């Protein structure tokens, strides 16, 4: 999974999506861990861990909510069996889910200055709500323009997934996950994994321009790879003699992914635009309080890093 292009990128250049995927994978592990649903792995404890992690994940990045149906499918039989204890299970779970939003307390604390709110419009909390809800991105959350737009989005999603895993890898992943969902002994786990990927996939198709589609599709990439793993495990149970061939196939896929993406990753992390931008900041005049205007993108990010993180250009006003 780590050799898929976007997952590799976001493992090297840490972004919000790196943590989102990590939390998603950990939640799938908690829900699907092959241990009896008793003791330390009881349904109550698993649900509490899932709600704590889910609250942290959704507070961190709202797209994490899309994997919830798959997690619910994984635990539902055990949760239903414990329905007589729902009050003692679900109420603490709700509290644990809210823990993840605790960092937002920082915003009103910072906004309350001199006995008045200074966040957003004078006298109200509109600015705080915009920060919490992410309304600044509303203009990007739009449905495709008719069937032609929907078809274009589907084609783009297919190209992205093929670029992530190579076209043969994408076809093998889809076939492996589909087969595991239908006939593997672990088909319930495969279905939970597949359902957890359905939400991000549907969002990427319907709201293709809302966010970076490659990043939104990272859980789909992970699900396809996990599907291949479950299908391979099923084949090994049926035909242990296939172990060498399956091992060789997985290694060949890893080598192909590495060869396909390594040059691109190297170019990305060695690209000097950010360093050049920071170097040129020293030529910005300081007299008269000038403002530096940069378009949103890598140059703005690099200049902001030098101003806010290292502090070497903290005196520059940036727009």
């Amino acid at each position: 999974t780590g050799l898929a292009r976007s997952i590799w990128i976001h493992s090297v250049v840490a972004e919000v999506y790196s943590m989102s995927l990590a939390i998603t994978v950990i939640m799938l592990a908690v829900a699907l861990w092959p241990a009896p649903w008793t003791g330390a792995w009881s349904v109550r404890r698993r649900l509490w861990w899932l709600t704590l992690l889910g609250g942290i994940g959704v507070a961190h990045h709202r797209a994490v909510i899309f994997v919830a149906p798959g997690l619910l499918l994984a635990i539902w039989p055990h949760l239903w069996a414990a329905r007589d204890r729902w009050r003692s299970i679900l109420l603490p779970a709700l509290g644990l889910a809210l823990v993840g939003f605790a960092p937002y307390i920082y915003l009103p604390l910072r906004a309350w200055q001199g006995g008045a709110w200074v966040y957003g419009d004078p006298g109200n909390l509109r600015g705080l709500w915009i920060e919490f809800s992410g309304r600044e991105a509303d203009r990007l959350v739009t449905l495709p323009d008719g069937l032609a737009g929907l078809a274009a989005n589907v084609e783009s999603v297919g190209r992205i997934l093929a670029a992530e895993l190579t076209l043969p890898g994408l076809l093998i992943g889809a076939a492996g996950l589909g087969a595991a969902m239908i006939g593997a002994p672990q088909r319930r786990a495969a279905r939970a994994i597949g359902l957890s990927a359905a939400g991000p996939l549907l969002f990427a198709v319907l709201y293709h321009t809302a966010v970076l589609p490659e990043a939104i599709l990272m859980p789909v990439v992970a699900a396809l790879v996990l599907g291949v793993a479950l299908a391979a495990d099923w084949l090994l149970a049926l035909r242990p003699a296939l172990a060498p061939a399956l091992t060789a196939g997985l290694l060949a896929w890893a080598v192909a992914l590495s060869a396909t993406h390594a040059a691109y990753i190297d170019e990305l992390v060695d690209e000097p635009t950010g360093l050049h931008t920071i170097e040129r900041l020293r030529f910005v005049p300081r007299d008269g309080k000038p403002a530096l205007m940069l378009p949103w993108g890598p140059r703005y990010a690099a200049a902001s890093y030098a101003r806010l993180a290292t502090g070497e250009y903290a005196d520059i006003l940036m727009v």
Side-chain angles (χ1 to χ4, degrees):
T1 305
L3 293 173
R5 187 173 69 174
S6 291
I7 296 177
W8 192 345
I9 289 172
H10 290 289
S11 297
V12 176
V13 184
E15 244 275 22
V16 61
Y17 311 107
S18 311
M19 180 66 83
S20 299
L21 184 64
I23 291 173
T24 296
V25 172
I26 293 172
M27 288 193 296
L28 285 171
V30 170
L32 298 172
W33 196 262
W37 288 68
T38 57
W41 289 96
S42 67
V43 61
R44 179 181 61 180
R45 293 188 178 185
R46 291 201 199 210
L47 181 64
W48 287 355
W49 274 112
L50 288 175
T51 51
L52 175 62
L53 291 166
I56 294 171
V58 173
H60 175 73
H61 191 234
R62 302 297 186 263
V64 173
I65 194 67
F66 295 140
V67 304
L71 298 172
L72 184 60
L73 176 64
I75 70 169
W76 179 251
H78 308 281
L79 187 60
W80 181 252
R83 59 188 180 276
D84 57 327
R85 293 180 284 126
W86 273 9
R87 179 175 296 181
S88 64
I89 294 175
L90 296 181
L91 288 179
L94 177 61
L96 288 170
L98 295 175
V99 169
F101 292 87
Y104 278 98
I105 298 173
Y106 160 78
L107 292 176
L109 290 178
R110 185 177 185 275
W112 184 258
Q113 297 179 16
W117 297 105
V118 295
Y119 211 99
D121 291 343
N124 62 46
L125 294 176
R126 178 174 175 271
L128 173 62
W129 175 247
I130 289 174
E131 284 287 334
F132 181 82
S133 62
R135 288 179 55 192
E136 72 278 1
D138 282 355
R139 62 186 176 83
L140 300 175
V141 184
T142 57
L143 290 168
D145 186 16
L147 291 177
L150 181 62
N153 288 359
V154 171
E155 181 183 1
S156 178
V157 167
R159 287 199 307 268
I160 290 170
L161 292 175
E164 296 289 337
L165 294 170
T166 71
L167 181 56
L170 172 59
L171 297 176
I172 292 171
L177 181 58
M181 291 171 66
I182 294 171
Q186 307 93 338
R187 53 184 172 272
R188 186 169 190 85
R191 291 168 184 171
I193 291 170
L195 187 57
S196 71
L201 180 63
L202 185 62
F203 185 89
V205 169
L206 295 180
Y207 299 101
H208 199 60
T209 60
V211 290
L212 188 65
E214 290 85 353
I216 287 294
L217 289 168
M218 283 162 55
V220 180
V221 173
L224 292 171
V225 175
L226 290 172
V228 171
L230 290 173
D233 183 69
W234 180 27
L235 288 175
L236 279 176
L238 295 175
R239 299 286 178 84
L242 290 175
L246 290 172
T247 301
L250 292 174
L251 287 175
W253 191 14
V255 170
L257 288 174
S258 181
T260 301
H261 300 316
Y264 180 84
I265 304 299
D266 286 342
E267 180 182 358
L268 178 71
V269 298
D270 292 337
E271 209 282 324
T273 297
L275 293 175
H276 290 171
T277 300
I278 293 174
E279 182 182 351
R280 296 173 73 174
L281 289 180
R282 62 191 178 91
F283 296 106
V284 176
R286 302 300 200 272
D287 298 333
K289 297 183 179 179
L292 174 65
M293 179 179 289
L294 289 170
W296 184 264
R299 294 184 184 276
Y300 183 90
S304 294
Y305 180 83
R307 188 174 70 90
L308 300 173
T310 66
E312 54 188 309
Y313 295 107
D315 58 330
I316 292 180
L317 174 64
M318 280 189 58
V319 181

